[in-house]
């Protein structure tokens, strides 16, 4: 009967095509001969347990072949399947809107004059990096979008010196009478890098936005209105920050030949592509899974002579075809984390920005680069480590803390990790450094 209903529903829509109705109840509606969406495979249904909570995957028994499964629809179905996580729908809606705006800003920057350094130079963020015009504007775009979602308590961004606490007025809800007390439990923390890889942006190289969403947790900070925050307020806000294994969502937007939105809500990884004709993200890469092993290594070889011996020996082995797979690996490095991780997710292999003698903690930031990307990579069946330890287990000591990153196909990362384990027996100083990252020690914000 269900099959008959599906078939009739398909026929009733005028020349509609029912895909394999005899074998599955999934129906794709659209006209014969018209341009169809390339992807007709629905993401897997089922559920997963993440951080002690069950996440139910949305089911898609029908779809329109003209529009495909849009991100908007995916989130509506997700919220229906997970009422207690329904607020993620408006958070993701805010982020996708920001990504579309940023995509346009990046694409048009050569024509609109949004190239080069903020204020002609001299505008430096808390990490001492020169800010580009686009760094500043994209930070505002994302910050506003998240603020207007009305779900955020704290925002931490690469471009902000300290986490931003949203007070009653900032925490936008134009329809909320001010005398109603909002339920504290509905508040989230967003961490983000609005334009990762921005040092490349004026040359048209891929860039991206990285985001992570945490529950607020138990700690409450009382922060006086207005800036600057006192040191105690900053430290309190920093202490609300949590390890990667407490993330409930993370993802990135890649601004490249197409704009991709790839994310996890704790039950697999879904990849969408912006359909410029209707401004919707459409599911093009359902259930992304990393191949167990790849043939690509991706790291800045300019740092080779400062690397720990473990990494140098591992890279030498895979270059020569003397690693576990016996294959000589090839090198691909964009120098833009989102682009390099996106390729790694799709093709497999290993991406790393390791610690070295000069920068013992590497370059990438734990909170808004390493942890959100590690959550994604693990959800796609991969591994993400600092060398010896799992990145997701590190409790942040500071908002802009850096950590070494080695992530990608599980067999490749495990092979690399063995070199670190062997090296740590010979080099107790390296082991001490690695182990120290696992012990939270609150730094001053911005340290
Ligand atoms: P960028 O400085 O251009 O923003 O963390 C920032 C980052 O880019 C990553 O996207 C990228 O992987 C890395 O730095 C590149 O660093 P190197 O130039 O040292 O290779």
């Amino acid at each position: 009967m269900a099959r008959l209903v599906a078939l009739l529903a398909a026929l009733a829509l005028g020349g509609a095509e029912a895909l394999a109705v005899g074998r599955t109840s999934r129906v794709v509606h659209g006209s014969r001969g018209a341009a169809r969406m390339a992807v007709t495979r629905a993401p897997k249904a089922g559920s997963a347990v993440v951080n002690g909570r069950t996440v139910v995957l949305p089911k898609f028994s029908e779809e329109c072949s003209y529009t495909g499964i849009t991100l908007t629809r995916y989130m509506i179905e997700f919220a229906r399947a997970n009422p207690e996580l329904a607020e993620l729908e408006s958070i993701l809606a805010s982020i996708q809107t920001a990504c579309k705006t940023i995509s346009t800003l990046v694409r048009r920057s050569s024509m609109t004059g949004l190239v080069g350094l903020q204020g002609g130079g001299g505008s430096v963020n808390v990490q001492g990096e020169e800010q580009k015009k686009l760094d500043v504007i994209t930070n505002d775009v994302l910050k506003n979008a998240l603020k207007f979602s009305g779900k955020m308590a704290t925002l931490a961004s690469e471009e902000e010196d300290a986490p931003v606490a949203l007070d009653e007025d900032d925490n936008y809800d134009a329809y909320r009478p001010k005398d109603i007390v909002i339920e504290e439990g509905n508040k989230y923390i967003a961490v983000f890098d609005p334009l990762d890889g921005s040092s490349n942006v004026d040359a048209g190289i891929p860039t991206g936005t990285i985001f992570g969403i945490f529950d607020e947790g138990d700690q409450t900070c009382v922060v006086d209105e207005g800036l600057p925050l006192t040191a105690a307020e900053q430290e309190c806000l920093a202490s609300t920050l949590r390890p990667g294994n407490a993330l409930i969502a993370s993802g990135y937007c890649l601004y490249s030949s197409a704009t991709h939105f790839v994310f996890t809500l704790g039950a697999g990884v879904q990849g969408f592509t912006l359909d410029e004709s209707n401004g919707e993200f459409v599911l093009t890469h359902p259930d992304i899974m990393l191949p167990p092993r790849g043939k690509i290594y991706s790291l800045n070889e300019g740092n080779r002579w400062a690397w720990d011996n473990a990494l140098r020996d591992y890279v030498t082995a895979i270059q020569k075809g003397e690693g576990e797979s016996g294959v000589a690996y090839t090198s691909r490095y964009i120098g833009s984390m989102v682009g390099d991780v996106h390729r790694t997710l799709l093709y497999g292999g290993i991406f790393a920005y390791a610690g070295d003698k000069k920068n013992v903690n590497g370059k990438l930031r734990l909170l808004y680069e390493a942890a959100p990307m590690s959550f994604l990579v693990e959800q796609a069946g991969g591994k993400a480590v600092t060398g010896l330890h799992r990145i997701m287990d590190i409790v942040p000591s500071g908002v802009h803390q850096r950590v070494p990153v080695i992530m990608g196909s599980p067999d490749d990362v495990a092979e690399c990790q063995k070199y670190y384990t062997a090296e740590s027996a010979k080099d107790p100083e390296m082991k001490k450094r690695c182990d120290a990252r696992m012990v939270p020690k609150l730094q001053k914000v911005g340290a």
Side-chain angles (χ1 to χ4, degrees), residues 196-199 300 333 335-337 351 353 363-365 369:
D196 192 70
S198 61
S199 61
N300 185 341
Y333 185 67
S336 184
M337 186 189 197
F351 164 79
Y353 209 114
K363 179 178 183 193
L364 304 175
R365 270 55 61 120
E369 291 177 313

Side-chain angles (χ1 to χ4, degrees), residues 295-299 301 319 328-333 343:
K295 296 179 193 155
I296 297 174
Y297 69 94
S298 179
L299 24 73
E301 287 198 80
Q319 283 173 332
Y329 282 42
T330 192
S331 162
R332 296 281 184 277
Y333 185 67
R343 184 201 52 249

Side-chain angles (χ1 to χ4, degrees), residues 293-304 307 311-322 325 327-335 340-341 343-344 347-353 405-409 412-413 415-416:
R293 199 176 263 287
K295 296 179 193 155
I296 297 174
Y297 69 94
S298 179
L299 24 73
N300 185 341
E301 287 198 80
N303 299 331
R304 182 183 185 102
W307 288 343
L311 187 66
R312 215 153 57 209
D313 292 349
Y314 165 71
V315 171
T316 305
I318 57 171
Q319 283 173 332
K320 291 172 143 179
E322 292 170 1
S325 69
V327 170
Y329 282 42
T330 192
S331 162
R332 296 281 184 277
Y333 185 67
I334 303 170
D340 282 316
V341 170
R343 184 201 52 249
T344 306
Y347 298 171
I350 192 160
F351 164 79
Y353 209 114
V405 169
I406 300 171
M407 56 173 55
S409 290
D412 286 315
V413 177
E415 182 179 348
C416 179

Side-chain angles (χ1 to χ4, degrees), residues 71 75 78-79 84-99 141-155 166 171 185-192 211-216 248-251 253 261 263-265:
L71 179 53
M75 289 311 299
F78 179 85
E84 70 296 347
L85 290 174
E87 288 177 309
L88 286 177
E89 186 187 343
S90 41
I91 295 173
L92 272 266
S94 303
I95 297 173
Q96 70 155 305
T97 304
C99 286
V141 169
L142 200 56
K143 201 165 75 173
N144 284 335
L146 285 163
K147 188 168 107 179
F148 299 154
S149 76
K151 309 293 178 200
M152 291 296 152
T154 310
L155 304 174
L166 298 179
N171 205 342
N186 288 347
K187 299 286 172 235
Y188 294 96
I189 296 168
V191 291
F192 55 88
F211 66 91
I213 308 292
F214 295 92
D215 268 339
E216 194 181 13
I248 56 170
S250 78
C253 297
F261 190 104
F263 69 99
T264 180
L265 302 171

Side-chain angles (χ1 to χ4, degrees), residues 253-443:
C253 297
L254 170 66
Y255 312 113
S256 184
S257 55
T259 302
H260 296 284
F261 190 104
V262 177
F263 69 99
T264 180
L265 302 171
V269 176
Q270 307 300 335
F272 292 72
T273 305
L274 185 61
D275 182 344
E276 311 255 350
S277 68
N278 63 6
E280 285 282 351
F281 280 105
V282 180
L283 184 64
T284 47
H285 298 74
D287 305 315
I288 295 175
M289 284 301 285
L290 270 153
R293 199 176 263 287
K295 296 179 193 155
I296 297 174
Y297 69 94
S298 179
L299 24 73
N300 185 341
E301 287 198 80
N303 299 331
R304 182 183 185 102
W305 301 110
W307 288 343
D308 288 323
N309 292 339
L311 187 66
R312 215 153 57 209
D313 292 349
Y314 165 71
V315 171
T316 305
I318 57 171
Q319 283 173 332
K320 291 172 143 179
E322 292 170 1
E324 286 173 3
S325 69
V327 170
Y329 282 42
T330 192
S331 162
R332 296 281 184 277
Y333 185 67
I334 303 170
S336 184
M337 186 189 197
V338 177
D340 282 316
V341 170
H342 186 69
R343 184 201 52 249
T344 306
L345 277 176
L346 298 185
Y347 298 171
I350 192 160
F351 164 79
Y353 209 114
D356 59 37
K357 296 202 171 59
K358 222 168 47 197
N359 304 299
V360 286
N361 292 315
K363 179 178 183 193
L364 304 175
R365 270 55 61 120
L366 171 62
L367 215 46
Y368 42 82
E369 291 177 313
M373 289 301 212
S374 299
F375 190 28
L376 266 183
V377 163
E378 288 193 1
Q379 283 292 317
K383 275 171 80 80
V385 299
T386 58
L388 284 183
H389 302 294
R390 183 173 174 247
I391 292 171
M392 294 281 279
D393 290 334
I394 303 176
V395 179
S397 306
V399 183
H400 301 290
Q401 176 184 354
R402 296 173 198 264
V403 283
V405 169
I406 300 171
M407 56 173 55
S409 290
D411 295 353
D412 286 315
V413 177
E415 182 179 348
C416 179
Q417 206 172 5
K418 284 182 202 160
Y419 283 77
Y420 277 88
T421 311
E423 185 66 24
S424 65
K426 292 185 240 156
D427 184 353
E429 277 307 308
M430 188 201 78
K431 179 158 176 11
K432 221 158 89 189
R433 259 189 348 252
C434 285
D435 292 344
R437 289 188 197 102
M438 307 312 291
V439 185
K441 184 166 55 71
L442 197 65
Q443 295 172 353

